[in-house]
Amino acid sequence: MSYAVEFTPGAEDDLVRLYEFLLDRAETLEDLDVADEAIKVIRQAALSHLSTTPYSYRKVGAWSTLRELIIRSARPATSCASTSARPSWYS
């Protein structure tokens, strides 16, 4: 079964803050590319993992379909993305 994944406004805000953080610390053109790639990889990971196994991730709030995917980086910081996952056939 496949699930539709939607990023919550909070998850979108997290990605924007992470992107701005990376841009603020960029010193080279390559660093700008790394910022773009990081956001792309996080989005792809969230879509890939949550669309196939959403219920293996931590439940967030009162909604039974809201899950949190934590992305760990090489540094101590983490980024969280909350998504609403529901079966792709659900409208």
Side-chain angles (χ1 to χ4, degrees):
M1 178 180 287
S2 179
Y3 295 86
V5 176
E6 299 172 10
F7 287 86
T8 63
E12 291 290 351
D13 291 344
D14 287 346
L15 290 174
V16 168
R17 279 194 304 277
L18 175 61
Y19 187 68
E20 290 172 350
F21 174 84
L22 294 171
L23 290 181
D24 287 345
R25 280 141 186 86
E27 296 179 359
T28 66
L29 290 175
E30 289 79 22
D31 291 342
L32 298 177
D33 291 338
V34 168
D36 288 335
E37 186 66 18
I39 299 304
K40 180 181 171 184
V41 167
I42 290 170
R43 284 187 175 279
Q44 287 175 342
L47 292 171
S48 173
H49 294 277
L50 290 169
S51 68
T52 56
T53 58
Y55 297 108
S56 63
Y57 295 95
R58 187 170 77 173
K59 184 177 166 184
V60 177
W63 295 93
S64 64
T65 60
L66 194 61
R67 297 289 188 237
E68 182 175 57
L69 175 64
I70 298 175
I71 308 294
R72 301 210 185 276
S73 67
R75 297 182 180 163
T78 60
S79 173
C80 300
S82 298
T83 62
S84 177
R86 62 177 188 253
S88 56
W89 48 264
Y90 181 83
S91 300

